[in-house]
Amino acid sequence: MLALGCGLLLAGCGYHPEGVGNLPRELQRLHLAALTNDTFRPGLQGLVSAAILRRLQQDGRVRFAPPEAADAVLGGSLTAYQNDPIAFERADIGRRFRGRVTLALRLAERGGDKVLLKEEIVGEAFYTAGAGVVATRAAEEEATARAVQDLAARVVTRLMDGL
């Protein structure tokens, strides 16, 4: 009985769990434009684009369309790839790192006349340096993949939780 009362109360105040919103009705068909890469990390834009596309397809609340049939165009630019040490060994050598990927996101109506959303979104992941260069590089690559997935999840959440 208490759970039913809480549910009714929360429903009445406009509460909804994260990620269960929708784009406005007039924005049901999106075109995912090619992202630009302003970082020193080659190929990062392809990883991010694929992750966002996959996440939106899994979500299922929007359809994809070519630019001429889309209601809005989602695009942006990768502005930063950071790999910062956050914990050190005695000799002041980085041991634990935080990888971050930053996307300047832009959602505009078809034709680009009206910008609906312009925001910087960051995905991040952590890793520990390995015993050698190869192990450390592998850990960094795996953390980059997780940071890209985190970024894609944040993009979709931001889109679906309202403009």
Side-chain angles (χ1 to χ4, degrees):
M1 188 66 152
L2 178 63
L4 178 62
C6 288
L8 290 173
L9 179 65
L10 290 175
C13 71
Y15 170 81
H16 67 278
E18 181 179 30
V20 296
N22 285 307
L23 284 170
R25 287 189 184 274
E26 64 273 9
L27 300 179
Q28 295 305 306
R29 294 176 310 211
L30 287 181
H31 174 71
L32 182 58
L35 300 176
T36 60
N37 186 357
D38 297 331
T39 73
F40 67 88
R41 182 81 188 241
L44 192 58
Q45 73 280 7
L47 297 173
V48 172
S49 292
I52 291 172
L53 179 64
R54 192 170 35 256
R55 185 64 73 140
L56 283 168
Q57 287 173 332
Q58 288 172 347
D59 182 271
R61 288 180 277 179
V62 296
R63 294 182 318 202
F64 292 97
E68 62 276 358
D71 300 319
V73 177
L74 179 66
S77 178
L78 292 164
T79 59
Y81 172 81
Q82 297 168 289
N83 192 16
D84 301 319
I86 57 172
F88 299 87
E89 293 178 348
R90 286 186 191 180
D92 209 22
I93 296 172
R95 183 74 183 141
R96 183 108 172 112
F97 296 84
R98 176 180 58 211
R100 300 179 105 190
V101 179
T102 304
L103 172 66
L105 182 72
R106 184 176 188 270
L107 179 67
E109 285 185 349
R110 181 181 51 199
D113 296 336
K114 183 178 177 187
V115 175
L116 304 168
L117 177 65
K118 190 174 183 179
E119 193 169 302
E120 191 172 87
I121 299 177
V122 178
E124 67 180 8
F126 299 88
Y127 70 97
T128 302
V133 174
V134 173
T136 299
R137 184 71 177 139
E140 180 185 353
E141 289 297 320
E142 195 264 329
T144 299
R146 287 194 328 264
V148 164
Q149 294 304 317
D150 182 49
L151 176 63
R154 290 173 190 255
V155 166
V156 172
T157 298
R158 178 63 184 100
L159 287 174
M160 296 305 164
D161 281 346
L163 299 177

